Amino acid sequence: MDVRSSLSYLYWLFCQFELITCSYLMEPWEKLLFYSFNLALLGLLLYTTYVCVALQASSAFQLLCSLLANPQDSALAVVK
């Protein structure tokens, strides 16, 4: 893949983002605040997703291991 074409594509995506959000009309200090706020929210969203998915995967793995270790006892525990 050509580096120049990928940089051109990223620039095109950034221009599309600016057009959609109308941030090309903002002053530089407004852009800085806007982009900082959006990046902070994106970071918090990714971190929260990572933590929640890790917790859910861990509990699912523990449940699966307990079901595979002794399936008869697990089935009785579910019924009770």
Side-chain angles (χ1 to χ4, degrees):
M1 182 175 204
D2 188 20
V3 174
R4 181 152 172 85
S5 67
S6 61
L7 288 176
S8 171
Y9 180 67
L10 286 176
Y11 179 72
W12 180 79
L13 283 176
F14 180 72
C15 288
Q16 291 296 313
F17 172 74
E18 281 194 329
L19 284 172
I20 290 169
T21 59
C22 295
S23 61
Y24 66 95
L25 297 172
M26 295 179 186
E27 293 183 16
W29 67 271
E30 291 173 324
K31 278 187 177 184
L32 180 67
L33 286 175
F34 180 70
Y35 293 150
S36 300
F37 181 74
N38 285 336
L39 286 175
L41 282 179
L42 181 66
L44 287 172
L45 178 70
L46 290 175
Y47 176 74
T48 304
T49 303
Y50 171 74
V51 168
C52 289
V53 167
L55 274 171
Q56 293 296 322
S58 173
S59 64
F61 183 69
Q62 287 176 355
L63 178 66
L64 182 65
C65 286
S66 68
L67 286 175
L68 291 177
N70 46 5
Q72 292 174 346
D73 295 340
S74 301
L76 289 176
V78 170
V79 172
K80 289 181 183 179

